Amino acid sequence: MADTTSTALSDEAALAEQKRKEAYFTAGQLQLIWARFKRNRSAMVGGAVLLSLISMGVFAPFLSPYDPTIAGRDKTYQNGAPQIPYFWDENGFSLRPFVYTYSRSRSAATNFRWVSTVDKNKRRYLELFVTGWEYHVMDLNLDLPGEFFDINIKLLKSDTHLFGVNEGQIHLFGTDSPGKDIFSRTLHAIYTSLAVGTIGVFIAFVLALVIGGVSGYYGGWLDGVLQMITDSVRTVPAIPLFMALAAFVPDEWSAELRFLFISIILGLIGWPTLARRVRTHLLTERSQDYVLAAKLCGASPGHIIRRHLLPSFTSYIIVDLVISFPYMVLSETALSFIGLGLKDPVNSLGVMLQNVTKADVLLNYQWYFIPVIFFMALVMAFVFVGDGLRDAADPYGDHK
Amino acid sequence: MTSPLIKVENLTLQFKTDEGLITAVNDVSFEVAPGEIMGLVGESGSGKSVTAKSLMKLNPGNAVYSPESRITLTTDGESVEVLKLETSRELKVVRGGAISMIFQEPMASFAPAISVGDQMVEQLLLHTDMNKEKATNFSIEMLERVGISDAPERFKQYAFEFSGGMRQRAMIAMALSTKPKLLIADEPTTALDVTIQAQVIDLMKDLVDEFGMGILFITHDLAVIAQTADNVSVMYLGKLIETGSVRQVIREPAHPYTQGLLNAIPKLEHLDVSLTPIPGDIPSPLDRPSGCVFHTRCSQIIEGKCDSSIPATTVLKEGHTAACFVAQGIAEGAMSAS
Amino acid sequence: MNDDKGMKKGTPLVATKNLSVHFGLGRKLFGEQKVVRAVENISLDIPKGSFFGLVGESGSGKTTLGRAILKAAPISKGRINYNDGEVDYDIATIDKKQLKDYRKRSQLIFQDPYAALSPRMTVRDIIAEPLEVMGLTSSREETDERVREIAAKCRLNLEHLRRFPHAFSGGQRQRISIARALVCQPKFLVADESVAALDVSIQADILNLLKSLTEEYGITFLFISHDLSVVAHVCDMVAVMYLGQIVELAPTRKLFSKQRHPYTAALLTAIPSLDPDHESKAIKLEGEIPSPINPPSGCRFHTRCSYVQDRCIAEPPEWRKIDDEHFVACHFADELNL
């Protein structure tokens, strides 16, 4: 395609073009990353999914109609199948979604097991913003060793929930064997996993920055020593560690405390990878010409780190943080599944999956696996967003 | 008239990138005769490397050739259209066979973990029907021919054990061992010290005399071309703006860019003359000027013409052409006057 | 215009005496540690107000010498003195406070315009950094004022100041580097191959800018380059280095009309001329440049010199004055007619 020989663009178009170019020239690093990220469709989809899952987790108490712990169980509907709201059936159309009424009876046909019968004529309508069980928007209850350290913060009591039914209970994802609503449990599990991931990643991040940073910037024998420490922490095997910790953790620790403990431990063994990356990056960057230029102005190491080196790996750090998240979530899931991590009543995917290993469940109560889909979506969303960020990051990479 | 070794016609090449289609080479045509040294001169963004790689279809996957582009390679009376070749088997004839290439950074073209000798032998085994023993002996001979002392020892060494100049010579040896008809040299001396550069240039001239191959010599250094090449083509932002014999282009530059370039080069013989840069900056390929690509920096611009229409290639003299309205005017004036 | 100001009478701005810079390479548990003798026994004076050229090929130590003067490379032996009339520092034993002051007076312009600017800082911040770090201004307005002033001198306008380095071409980036180096009003500037990475048409622009700025601000300039033609056009005096030592020093015109050291002569003849019919009387230097880890004994150039005698292998030549303002290190400089 040869260049067109048409006359110059109209003034408006030229002005718009000029503005776009100017925006590109003055765009800081984060703006450039965002601009590139936006063009990556799978990353944007992943981002949308991620945001919705996170909001579901954060607003879990509001969105769950029932208390996910034993206290909120539905004795009349144990191991019950999911109840799907309908808008329309033989009895007519209804603007408000409704569910049928279920009743249980022991049936001789199935060897005196419980059997649910559906009464299609009795409808129970869904209502929005119902009053239900009480919860606190922020509830922190830590029973740390020693009276002095106990933390007990309860804020903003509320009892409104997004939806419910006028009579009985609605179980969108069914219930498990004691009768706990799986939908509520799933939402709370997302929240817990995100919380564990956040704390773990935060601890890992701070440690990695400090250790990797000192190592990479100063080099020399300090680097050597720190690298030995990093490598030894990395080789610690996770399962035996957690087995030992499980034996060591006293029983009287509350579920929340246990949860905090697990998160901290995950963070403490998760920092080496990120630290190594920080160190490598610093080692390369500190021999760049622009660092020498700063040194020749008499800049202190602190200034150089702050103004030149740290911004240069902000993009890597963001990517690493986002990518470490799913690993934390999956580690916690695995540990809780084998009983070394969290326990009831604290809810997480691992805890929910603890009951899944019976043949009974696999054959008859398949809805126990619904939370797995949510977690797969969560992990994959993180991965897509992380990959998208990694592709979008380092926007200065190929500009010559 | 013997058909040219390489005939490039209307080569237009664009790259698909995030920012859209970027034109790297725009409607370039030139010829290289057998045994001729043709210099391809240009600064950054001129598209000279991309043009050279097109001769072997070595450009990356996002390269889009326009349908009018044609590159014809003629050896021993047989013609091949390079851009129509698709599979690597077909391209093998061209790559490393009839055409060889040497690069600016010799460290980049030798695999670091294989000895230099093994790489040379591998190439010979691929392109000729020599057996391993013959290939080894021939390679050692070639190393000696390019002036590497202790060739049998060097044959077994690795690329990092060679100095810069030696690596470049070894690369020339490797490129020439398949007796190509055309050698493409992409900035072969830019990374070398000036005393080593002089040695390598002399070597290349001797080898051309001995092997009778053509060379497409790509560089930004007009002085090297002046000493080495027979003909020169000057490129700017993807367009071939002037071509002719070395004496014609350097002594009577017709295009304002060539004139500007010659004025900007520091010459040892004229220490009194101050250096005159070409005003402005080379436009980014994303921002190609309309009309004549050089008009944004030209001092002889004809308003209304140079910024809107693309100048055609005018023949100024036998073998000397330029794509410029001003040059066209001068040529027409000279012709009507005579 | 070039004019030989001649050596200013009076104290030179920078005086090095018997300066050696050695780098240790790795460490062996038993046995000698390998040492790179990058700079060996150099005594060189840079006159105040001069545009001083330092020329050499790879391994010559020219970059190391420049950095040692700025105290960015370790001084193993010898002295460097800086005296600009206001202060007199012994660089080897300078203390922290004096070093801070010295940094205000001496700056470096780098070779690679793409690596010299912090990619995540705006141009305004990059240029302002020396002022902010050294505390040379008392308010943000004052800083902005000075930044704008120096940017205008380097032909960077207000819009450019808000942009990031990725928006600029090589030549523009180099101008930003120059602005950064000049903003603290230094008396001494070292340009380390500052135009080597630029296109020829831009090179001339940057060189002219450097010359005008140094004349306007009265800066002494150490111009390090491997490109003799460039040095010939801009420098008053030229020192030629080979493998860590200075072999010849003279005012530019003198050096280019008559060389007294065989290496200088060979270097000059190796430069390709733009004249295709130029009869090259090139003195071909055989062999490779030796490694600075194991330099040859006696005169370091003896392995490649066509005039080598026994004395050259045994005894290092003395650095002596051979003519008015013309120094050379060669045993036979008087007898040789180069």
Side-chain angles (χ1 to χ4, degrees), chain B residues 43-44 163 166 193-199 202 222-224 226-227 246-247 250-251 262 264-273 275-278 280-282 297, chain C residues 1-2 57-58 169 172 175 199-202 204-205 207-208 228-230 232-233 253 256 267-268 270-278 284-289 304:
Chain B
E43 299 181 299
S44 35
S163 75
M166 273 207 287
D193 289 312
V194 68
T195 49
I196 311 289
Q197 175 178 282
Q199 293 172 342
D202 278 343
L222 257 177
V224 169
Q227 296 302 314
V246 156
R247 278 165 190 73
I250 292 184
R251 297 222 173 105
L262 286 164
I265 298 176
K267 304 166 200 59
L268 272 181
E269 300 89 31
H270 303 116
L271 287 184
D272 281 331
V273 178
L275 301 171
T276 357
I278 302 179
D281 282 303
I282 301 178
R297 303 169 77 192
Chain C
M1 285 295 282
N2 261 328
E57 296 181 301
S58 42
S169 68
Q172 288 169 316
R175 277 190 265 142
D199 290 312
V200 164
S201 52
I202 317 283
D205 186 30
L207 288 170
N208 288 343
L228 266 175
S229 349
V230 166
H233 268 270
R253 287 303 171 82
F256 284 90
L267 205 56
L268 273 165
I271 302 172
S273 156
L274 258 183
D275 182 0
D277 293 322
H278 176 89
K284 293 292 182 282
L285 279 187
E286 300 301 315
E288 304 288 325
I289 302 178
R304 301 169 84 197

Side-chain angles (χ1 to χ4, degrees), chain A residues 5 28 49 107 171-172 201 263 296 389:
Chain A
T5 53
V49 169
S107 149
H171 301 284
L172 283 175
V201 163
S263 318
L296 287 178
L389 278 179

Side-chain angles (χ1 to χ4, degrees), chain B residues 1 6 63 114 135 142 163 191 198 208 222 224 236 245 251-252 315:
Chain B
M1 205 161 81
I6 277 274
I114 310 177
M142 284 300 299
S163 75
V208 162
L222 257 177
V224 169
Y236 181 81
S245 81
R251 297 222 173 105
E252 297 155 3
V315 177

Side-chain angles (χ1 to χ4, degrees), chain A residues 33-74:
Chain A
I33 294 180
W34 173 238
R36 273 177 145 204
F37 185 81
K38 269 200 288 196
R39 279 183 274 181
N40 187 344
R41 215 176 303 155
S42 51
M44 288 301 278
V45 167
V49 169
L50 192 59
L51 277 176
S52 35
L53 286 173
I54 292 180
S55 359
M56 279 202 261
V58 166
F59 293 112
F62 175 67
L63 293 171
S64 333
Y66 307 109
D67 192 340
T69 64
I70 281 284
R73 70 186 179 127
D74 184 355

